[in-house]
């Protein structure tokens, strides 16, 4: 029996995009002849992935997998060519399975899914791509809020730390903040976490605008500082007006929740992904 090397399997995978086990089987069926194995895969319809490699993947879904204890959660984008395939059961099940495996095993990259991606591509006839993923956990006590928009194309994780075991009130707070991030799209957690260079650039824009409008020189800096403060309220999560009650900020909501729950609460991180963006 001819010897089938790892290099031969890799060469066949690179040429066809077929799964590793399919490549091994093809080589075994063709006495380790790569070219014959390539034709064998084509005949079996298992080399579709390679044919689709240059196709655009603008549709898909973002799948999530929150842990039962609420302390870890995962989101991952899985993309394909058409909404028709993205809404199909096989594609949806694959996306959920990928999210579950990332939640369980925390892989360093999506390369571990390539064989299964190729298998799905062979079934659907469309290119499939596992894109960005985030797996967030609380270091001690706390909870990770998860929100996936109804269309499955936008998702958010929010890490909330506490000094006592998180209650249902804290879990609701985390989810509400995740919805806030989805709707308001902040670029930073707080003013302190904004890039100082960005703030200075904004301040200079407002200074120049005030000068061009003929404002008195002595109040230019005051106008610019006020404009920067307003800008921070728009782009910093903790300073944003709460989408469910614009009379309070997210920081106000945090304080109210902490008081009601009887514990210290802080938001340490958020991540937001929009499919393909």
């Amino acid at each position: 029996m001819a010897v089938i090397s790892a290099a031969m399997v890799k060469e066949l995978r690179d040429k066809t995009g077929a799964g590793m086990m399919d490549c091994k089987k093809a080589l075994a069926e063709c006495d380790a002849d790569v070219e014959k194995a390539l034709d064998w895969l084509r005949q079996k319809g298992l080399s579709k992935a390679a044919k689709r490699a240059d196709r655009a993947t603008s549709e898909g879904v973002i799948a999530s997998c929150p842990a039962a204890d609420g302390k870890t959660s995962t989101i991952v984008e899985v993309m394909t060519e058409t909404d028709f395939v993205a809404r199909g059961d096989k594609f949806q099940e694959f996306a959920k399975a990928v999210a579950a495996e990332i939640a369980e095993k925390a892989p360093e990259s999506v390369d571990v899914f390539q064989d299964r991606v190729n298998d799905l591509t062979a079934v659907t006839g469309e290119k499939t791509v596992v894109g960005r993923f985030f797996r967030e956990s609380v270091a001690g006590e706390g909870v990770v809020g998860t929100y996936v928009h109804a269309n499955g194309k936008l998702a958010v994780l929010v890490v909330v730390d506490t000094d006592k075991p998180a209650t249902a009130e804290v879990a609701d707070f985390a989810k509400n903040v995740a919805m806030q991030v989805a709707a308001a799209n902040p670029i930073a957690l707080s003013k302190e976490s904004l890039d100082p260079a960005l703030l200075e650039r904004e301040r200079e824009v407002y200074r120049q605008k005030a000068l061009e409008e003929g404002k008195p020189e002595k109040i230019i800096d005051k106008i610019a500082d006020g404009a920067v403060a307003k800008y921070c309220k728009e782009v910093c999560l903790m300073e944003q007006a709460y989408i469910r009650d614009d009379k309070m900020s997210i920081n106000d909501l945090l304080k109210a929740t902490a008081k009601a729950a009887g514990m210290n609460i802080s938001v340490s991180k958020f991540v937001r992904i929009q499919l393909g963006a």
Side-chain angles (χ1 to χ4, degrees):
M1 181 180 291
V3 176
I4 300 173
S5 67
M8 294 167 65
V9 174
K10 183 179 185 303
E11 180 184 354
L12 194 56
R13 284 190 65 193
D14 290 344
K15 287 183 175 181
T16 65
M20 182 175 69
M21 298 308 297
D22 289 325
C23 289
K24 284 184 176 179
K25 184 176 180 180
L27 288 164
E29 292 286 337
C30 301
D31 296 323
D33 186 311
V34 173
E35 293 304 316
K36 288 182 179 179
L38 192 155
D39 290 339
W40 187 91
L41 286 169
R42 290 179 62 194
Q43 291 163 10
K44 300 295 182 181
L46 296 172
S47 62
K48 291 182 179 179
K51 296 177 182 178
R52 298 278 176 170
D54 59 346
R55 292 292 191 95
T57 51
S58 57
E59 297 293 341
V61 67
I62 299 176
S64 66
C65 186
D69 63 3
K71 291 190 172 185
T72 301
S73 191
T74 298
I75 51 177
V76 57
E77 64 176 354
V78 184
M79 297 171 287
T80 189
E81 296 174 39
T82 66
D83 185 57
F84 176 78
V85 166
R87 288 186 285 106
D89 290 342
K90 289 187 180 298
F91 188 89
Q92 294 281 330
E93 289 168 6
F94 174 76
K96 291 176 183 177
V98 169
E101 184 165 332
I102 292 173
E104 179 185 0
K105 299 181 179 179
E108 293 184 0
S109 78
V110 298
D111 292 345
V112 295
F113 302 108
Q114 193 56 52
D115 281 343
R116 280 165 285 177
V117 164
N118 290 338
D119 291 342
L120 182 62
T121 296
V123 171
T124 65
E126 291 191 4
K127 181 181 177 183
T128 300
V129 174
V130 178
R132 296 164 294 170
F133 71 86
F134 293 91
R135 181 182 184 277
E136 299 295 340
S137 300
V138 290
E141 297 294 349
V143 65
V144 181
T146 306
Y147 174 73
V148 180
H149 195 59
N151 65 5
K153 299 180 187 298
L154 174 65
V156 175
L157 297 180
V158 173
V159 181
V160 176
D161 299 300
T162 59
D163 61 348
K164 297 178 183 178
T167 62
E169 289 170 308
V170 177
D172 286 343
F173 166 78
K175 184 167 185 179
N176 286 332
V177 175
M179 292 175 68
Q180 173 81 24
V181 173
N185 195 16
I187 64 173
L189 193 61
S190 64
K191 180 179 178 180
E192 290 70 29
S193 60
L194 274 175
D195 182 355
L198 173 62
L199 286 178
E200 187 53 40
R201 187 163 64 247
E202 289 294 318
R203 181 175 286 106
E204 185 58 26
V205 167
Y206 295 127
R207 285 188 82 260
Q208 293 301 320
K209 184 174 183 293
L211 284 169
E212 291 181 8
E213 291 175 350
K215 303 293 184 183
E217 183 73 30
K218 62 182 180 181
I219 66 168
I220 293 295
D221 287 339
K222 185 177 181 180
I223 291 173
D225 289 343
V228 168
K230 182 180 178 182
Y231 171 75
C232 288
K233 288 183 178 181
E234 294 172 351
V235 303
C236 298
L237 173 62
M238 301 310 296
E239 296 187 36
Q240 285 182 336
Y242 182 31
I243 56 173
R244 290 188 169 181
D245 182 357
D246 60 10
K247 293 180 181 179
M248 67 189 313
S249 68
I250 296 301
N251 196 44
D252 293 334
L253 178 65
L254 181 148
K255 290 177 181 178
T257 304
K259 183 177 180 180
M263 66 182 74
N264 293 321
I265 300 174
S266 62
V267 178
S268 59
K269 185 178 183 181
F270 69 85
V271 293
R272 180 184 190 272
I273 57 172
Q274 191 162 353
L275 190 76

